[in-house]
Amino acid sequence: MFFAMELDRILSALRDLGLIDRIAAAEILNEADGLPFINGYGQANGLSVETLHKFRDDHEKALAYLQERHPDVSFAYDSYTPYTDINLMPRNMQMWNFHLYA
């Protein structure tokens, strides 16, 4: 939620400057599925589905907070791979993007 609140501050400042329409999409966390305390890169942590759902639920609450405050902005879930664990993916995201490194 901390990152959602900080993103809200940025989006609110852009709105105040009349620049909110320049935002194509916003994400709370970069490569959220790679966080070391969740799955880590390569899904190495072997966490239970319940633990993954707890992270997903927290992410969904943060997205709902932002969507309520900025209904004209699309919010994305960002992953480091197209093979991300769907148990982590917030169900209220409006788009999904992943990083393709080549």
Side-chain angles (χ1 to χ4, degrees):
M1 186 57 89
F2 172 81
F3 292 107
M5 292 169 60
E6 292 300 302
L7 180 55
D8 173 51
R9 289 179 59 201
I10 293 168
L11 294 173
S12 294
L14 290 171
R15 186 176 305 286
D16 291 345
L17 293 170
L19 299 172
I20 198 68
D21 62 339
R22 307 306 197 278
I23 303 298
E27 62 192 39
I28 295 174
L29 291 168
N30 181 56
E31 299 185 354
D33 58 341
L35 296 170
F37 61 88
I38 295 299
N39 261 359
Y41 290 94
Q43 299 180 341
N45 293 343
L47 299 175
S48 69
V49 170
E50 291 79 18
T51 300
L52 299 178
H53 285 179
K54 170 67 172 111
F55 178 79
R56 181 189 68 192
D57 292 346
D58 289 344
H59 203 155
E60 287 174 350
K61 288 175 188 169
L63 283 174
Y65 167 81
L66 287 167
Q67 290 164 344
E68 182 178 318
R69 295 184 54 80
H70 304 281
D72 53 340
V73 175
S74 293
F75 291 95
Y77 173 76
D78 176 65
S79 67
Y80 76 92
T81 175
Y83 307 106
T84 191
D85 190 331
I86 61 169
N87 289 298
L88 286 171
M89 297 179 81
R91 295 165 292 190
N92 60 341
M93 66 181 174
Q94 293 158 305
M95 63 179 53
W96 169 37
N97 63 288
F98 64 89
H99 297 165
L100 177 61
Y101 297 104

